[in-house]
């Protein structure tokens, strides 16, 4: 790999490999986990409820802000998700690395619009 390509990926916006939707309170429900992503490796599953990111509670926060400021970040950085799993008492924390997810937006769920890092300057919604 050339150093310019490596530098480009190091400066790229990266994610953890989750498709999420907000609850009315602002927390995030995991809809899908990207195959072979850091989130999949960490054992996050559809239906998990993310209640905080890096210790910041999500209640009352704007969805787009949460995704762009908390879930996305520089490739190689990490984040800590606090989540609740249906059927289990309490909360658990998962430290997850952010990676450049190539082709992750290829699988779309019906009726779900995807926010993508490349679109942050515009509406941030993939059509």
């Amino acid at each position: 790999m050339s150093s310019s390509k490596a530098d480009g990926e190091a400066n790229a916006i990266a994610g953890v490999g989750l498709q999420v939707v907000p609850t009315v309170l602002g927390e995030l429900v995991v809809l899908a986990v990207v195959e072979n992503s850091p989130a999949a490796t960490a054992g996050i599953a559809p239906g998990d409820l993310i209640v905080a990111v890096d210790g910041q509670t999500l209640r009352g926060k704007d969805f787009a802000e949460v995704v762009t400021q908390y879930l996305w970040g520089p490739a190689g950085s990490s984040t800590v998700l606090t989540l609740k799993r249906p059927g289990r008492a309490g909360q658990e924390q998962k430290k997850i690395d952010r990676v450049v997810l190539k082709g992750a937006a290829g699988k779309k769920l019906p009726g779900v619009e995807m926010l993508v890092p490349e679109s942050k300057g515009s509406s941030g919604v993939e059509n």
Side-chain angles (χ1 to χ4, degrees):
M1 176 180 340
S2 72
S3 67
S4 63
K5 184 175 179 184
D7 291 343
E9 284 198 4
N11 294 325
I13 297 295
V16 297
L18 293 174
Q19 292 180 351
V20 295
V21 293
T23 67
V24 294
L25 300 176
E27 296 161 332
L28 303 176
V29 176
V30 175
L31 284 181
V33 181
V34 175
E35 254 183 78
N36 301 316
S37 69
T41 302
I44 295 179
D48 284 349
L49 179 69
I50 301 170
V51 297
V53 179
D54 292 332
Q56 298 290 315
T57 183
L58 300 182
R59 282 187 178 226
K61 297 227 191 287
D62 176 71
F63 175 64
E65 177 184 332
V66 168
V67 171
T68 58
Q69 293 185 11
Y70 295 101
L71 293 182
W72 294 343
S77 64
S78 62
T79 188
V80 176
L81 304 182
T82 303
L83 55 95
K84 294 179 181 179
R85 176 155 292 164
R88 289 192 190 166
Q91 300 178 349
E92 53 185 295
Q93 292 188 327
K94 305 267 186 178
K95 182 177 180 182
I96 304 175
D97 293 330
R98 294 181 182 103
V99 298
V100 176
L101 299 163
K102 295 180 169 102
K107 262 189 186 173
K108 294 184 182 179
L109 298 173
V112 176
E113 292 181 345
M114 297 291 294
L115 292 174
V116 292
E118 296 79 19
S119 300
K120 282 174 68 174
S122 63
S123 69
V125 176
E126 179 183 275
N127 294 321

